[in-house]
Amino acid sequence: MKSVAHFPSNRRLLVALIALVAFFPAACGKKAGGPAPVSEGPVILIINEEQIKKNAWENFVSLRLGELKLSSLPPKAQSQMLDEFIQRCILLQEAKKRGIVVEAKEVPPETPSPGTTGTGLPAVGQPTISNKAKLEERWADLVIQRFNKSVAEAAPQPSRDDVQRYYEEHKKEFDRNGFYVREIRVESQTIIDEISRQLASGKASFAELAKKYSRGPNAGQGGLSYYERGQMPSEIEEKVLVLRPGETSKTVKTGYGFHIFKLERFAQSLTYDQAREEIMDEIIQTRQQVLVAEEARKLYTAAQVELFPDALGFGYEGAFKRN
């Protein structure tokens, strides 16, 4: 049995899927300029007259799910996964038509990922994926990145009027009333006392001690965070806001542990000139995202997709099913 479908025009579904598609691998048919494809077994799909074989789909699933089995997912999730695979293949086909070529030597080397031993070998219980399949995955990622970049480059630069309009419409976002503060948080009174002594001696900076001792989520940034007024718990904020920029608090004990704070500076509202470059970047990025999403929607809608459910092995109920 087989079914033929066009991709339905559902913009909300499209936006959600395209955000995911750019990161999911697939080996789709024979590619020029890339590694030799890993594509064996029965044909499960024909996309724009190109045959897609089962092994390509199985590699996609294994690379995506790791030790999990496709059959462990609910039917809807299985179908959504196949939609992602089909969309990926469509984009790769279009990239090839437009002459976007990535040679195998350009593909970055594999980096250890969760579920590997650090040597590139799968950990116990992990599926064995061939190096060829992994190479094609990284190759496909790079092709899609270049394709999306080629589409995004057509986005028009914002005019001065565009930037001015954005600033006026989002002015509250630039009326900043917060402050930058560094924090050291530990669990022991003994440790916080030692940190206080080191701060008083001047032998180490607040940022250095935060990186060394702090258990707060901002330790890697030297304890630095930005807060709008009212964002911190009140019992902490009141200890911070009595400080002058550059001053350090005494030890503050809360339910989170023992803290020392250093007020770096108060934030200032951004004028149009100060915010202009940030606004231009935001407008350009938004226009590029819209262009890439719209181009993908057109390609999905125009694609001729023929499915072979018997060879596929599960009941497909996704976006490319015949209505």
Side-chain angles (χ1 to χ4, degrees):
M1 296 177 63
K2 63 182 181 180
S3 61
V4 181
H6 289 281
F7 189 84
S9 57
N10 184 326
R11 185 172 183 81
R12 191 157 54 182
L13 175 62
L14 164 68
V15 171
L17 290 176
I18 193 170
L20 297 171
V21 165
F23 301 96
F24 293 145
C28 304
K30 186 174 182 180
K31 316 292 191 318
V38 181
S39 186
E40 303 294 342
V43 174
I44 61 167
L45 291 163
I46 298 178
I47 303 176
N48 296 328
E49 301 183 354
E50 180 181 356
Q51 293 185 351
I52 311 298
K53 296 186 178 180
K54 191 169 186 177
N55 196 55
W57 162 241
E58 290 175 342
N59 283 328
F60 174 84
V61 171
S62 295
L63 288 163
R64 173 88 185 282
L65 296 183
E67 63 182 344
L68 295 177
K69 300 296 184 183
L70 183 67
S71 59
S72 67
L73 300 180
K76 183 177 180 180
Q78 294 183 44
S79 296
Q80 288 175 337
M81 225 176 146
L82 183 58
D83 286 344
E84 294 158 8
F85 177 79
I86 293 170
Q87 292 167 354
R88 182 70 163 202
C89 291
I90 292 170
L91 294 180
L92 287 171
Q93 287 179 347
E94 185 64 21
K96 180 180 177 181
K97 286 182 181 178
R98 299 188 187 188
I100 296 174
V101 176
V102 175
E103 301 294 341
K105 63 183 179 182
E106 298 181 75
V107 179
E110 181 180 8
T111 56
S113 58
T116 67
T117 61
T119 63
L121 298 175
V124 176
Q126 292 291 317
T128 301
I129 308 298
S130 72
N131 288 333
K132 185 180 287 188
K134 292 178 181 179
L135 174 63
E136 186 162 345
E137 169 198 4
R138 300 195 303 279
W139 171 85
D141 278 339
L142 191 52
V143 172
I144 295 297
Q145 289 172 15
R146 291 188 181 178
F147 171 76
N148 287 340
K149 182 180 179 181
S150 70
V151 174
E153 286 173 347
Q157 293 290 313
S159 66
R160 182 177 180 85
D161 287 344
D162 292 333
V163 177
Q164 183 70 51
R165 189 182 308 111
Y166 185 100
Y167 180 77
E168 295 299 332
E169 291 176 354
H170 299 82
K171 200 166 185 179
K172 287 186 178 180
E173 298 176 14
F174 303 103
D175 290 337
R176 295 173 181 172
N177 192 33
F179 50 92
Y180 293 88
V181 63
R182 293 188 188 272
E183 172 196 14
I184 297 174
R185 181 201 308 174
V186 297
E187 300 173 354
S188 163
Q189 179 75 59
T190 302
I191 296 175
I192 204 72
D193 289 345
E194 173 59 26
I195 293 171
S196 295
R197 284 192 289 270
Q198 292 190 42
L199 283 171
S201 72
K203 293 181 178 179
S205 69
F206 196 102
E208 291 170 339
L209 293 172
K211 290 180 180 179
K212 182 176 181 180
Y213 291 105
S214 182
R215 295 296 180 264
N218 51 7
Q221 291 75 48
L224 184 65
S225 293
Y226 173 78
Y227 295 95
E228 290 287 340
R229 292 176 186 264
Q231 188 176 353
M232 297 182 81
S234 58
E235 69 272 20
I236 296 178
E237 184 172 290
E238 64 186 19
K239 303 291 186 182
V240 173
L241 293 184
V242 296
L243 300 172
R244 295 179 180 178
E247 287 185 339
T248 300
S249 73
K250 296 180 179 180
T251 297
V252 178
K253 182 180 180 181
T254 71
Y256 303 101
F258 297 87
H259 312 250
I260 299 178
F261 297 96
K262 179 184 179 183
L263 180 63
E264 288 288 335
R265 68 183 189 277
F266 291 101
Q268 295 181 339
S269 296
L270 298 181
T271 64
Y272 169 81
D273 288 336
Q274 291 171 328
R276 186 170 60 84
E277 288 190 10
E278 179 181 332
I279 293 172
M280 288 184 67
D281 289 342
E282 176 65 26
I283 294 175
I284 291 172
Q285 184 177 9
T286 299
R287 289 178 176 180
Q288 289 177 340
Q289 290 172 347
V290 169
L291 273 182
V292 170
E294 182 63 20
E295 183 66 18
R297 185 195 67 78
K298 292 177 181 177
L299 293 171
Y300 301 156
T301 301
Q304 294 285 338
V305 179
E306 186 176 353
L307 296 101
F308 299 85
D310 291 343
L312 190 58
F314 69 91
Y316 174 72
E317 296 294 334
F320 292 90
K321 182 180 175 64
R322 185 202 301 257
N323 293 332

